[in-house]
Amino acid sequence: GLNLPLILSHTLQNHLPTASDFPALFEHFARDLRANVERLARQVSQAQELHARYQPQPIRTLFIDDCVDAGVEYNAGGARYNWSVINIGGLGNVADSLAAVREAVFERGDVDAGTLAAALATNFQETEPLRQRLMGCPRYGNDDPRVDELASQIAKIVFTELRRYAPWRGGRFIPGCLMFVTYADAGRPVGATPDGRLAGEPIADS
């Protein structure tokens, strides 16, 4: 999967204090997204090739007609449909976080970029009023077109990039924003985010 809040955390750490404006910061994030999608696609394809070579699944293969007819093992691409699902985690967190940064830092000037970066690095220690202010910013999914558009832009970047690559096994990558129960563990390595989420807390489910 693709952990969007983790990618955003790295972008903010590297670029928030020096960003000239919000579009510049968003472009840094977009570049980081594209690089992570390319790396993930390569890693998935490598894993699929290794599975085909060293971890064949003969029982599964025998229960899939197309594999039997073609004489090709499941992991080697014998099935008719070989799509590979990629979980896109934390889209809501990232849309909310970017909306908060846009409003609080670049539009209203409630906090400067360096101060916010420091608050994120310390998990909002001794800056709870700032965290509450950020949590009061517009949120994705509440009929605010500006925040919803941010989510749409992010999803479009990720989905478009994934379509540029094909899995080794064949078929195509299919992105989906549904985490089942993995959203809790996915949040463990992610530091505090500008939507007010604290370090280590779960990321958005879907």
Side-chain angles (χ1 to χ4, degrees):
L2 203 63
N3 191 328
L4 298 185
L6 186 60
I7 298 170
L8 178 64
S9 292
H10 293 155
T11 301
L12 295 176
Q13 181 180 1
N14 294 327
H15 300 291
L16 176 59
T18 58
S20 57
D21 53 26
F22 182 74
L25 180 64
F26 188 89
E27 183 53 36
H28 283 300
F29 179 54
R31 283 200 293 265
D32 289 343
L33 277 179
R34 294 185 183 102
N36 275 273
V37 168
E38 189 276 334
R39 181 168 61 248
L40 178 63
R42 184 175 66 251
Q43 290 172 342
V44 169
S45 286
Q46 290 171 345
Q48 289 182 354
E49 185 175 5
L50 289 173
H51 279 299
R53 288 185 179 182
Y54 303 112
Q55 293 182 318
Q57 295 181 306
I59 300 300
R60 171 180 273 186
T61 299
L62 290 172
F63 278 93
I64 299 176
D65 291 342
D66 299 301
C67 293
V68 175
D69 293 340
V72 179
E73 190 265 335
Y74 167 79
N75 282 330
R80 183 178 307 178
Y81 304 108
N82 285 289
W83 43 265
S84 298
V85 173
I86 301 294
N87 276 327
I88 310 301
L91 177 63
N93 296 113
V94 169
D96 292 346
S97 292
L98 287 172
V101 171
R102 178 173 61 189
E103 178 177 297
V105 175
F106 294 106
E107 292 182 346
R108 296 192 178 182
D110 296 334
V111 60
D112 64 77
T115 300
L116 176 55
L120 295 173
T122 60
N123 199 27
F124 291 108
Q125 289 183 14
E126 301 182 6
T127 55
E128 180 62 20
L130 172 59
R131 189 172 85 93
Q132 294 297 324
R133 165 69 184 89
L134 295 169
M135 291 175 67
C137 289
R139 296 279 177 155
Y140 165 64
N142 288 279
D143 294 326
D144 187 310
R146 295 188 71 207
V147 188
D148 292 348
E149 177 59 25
L150 277 176
S152 178
Q153 285 180 274
I154 296 161
K156 185 175 182 179
I157 292 170
V158 173
F159 291 17
T160 300
E161 285 299 301
L162 277 171
R163 283 198 291 267
R164 295 181 57 220
Y165 306 99
W168 176 88
R169 190 174 60 200
R172 60 192 177 97
F173 288 112
I174 304 221
C177 297
L178 181 60
M179 298 284 292
F180 297 104
V181 297
T182 58
Y183 55 88
D185 282 341
R188 294 185 192 277
V190 183
T193 45
D195 58 345
R197 182 193 144 277
L198 295 174
E201 289 186 344
I203 64 173
D205 178 15
S206 57

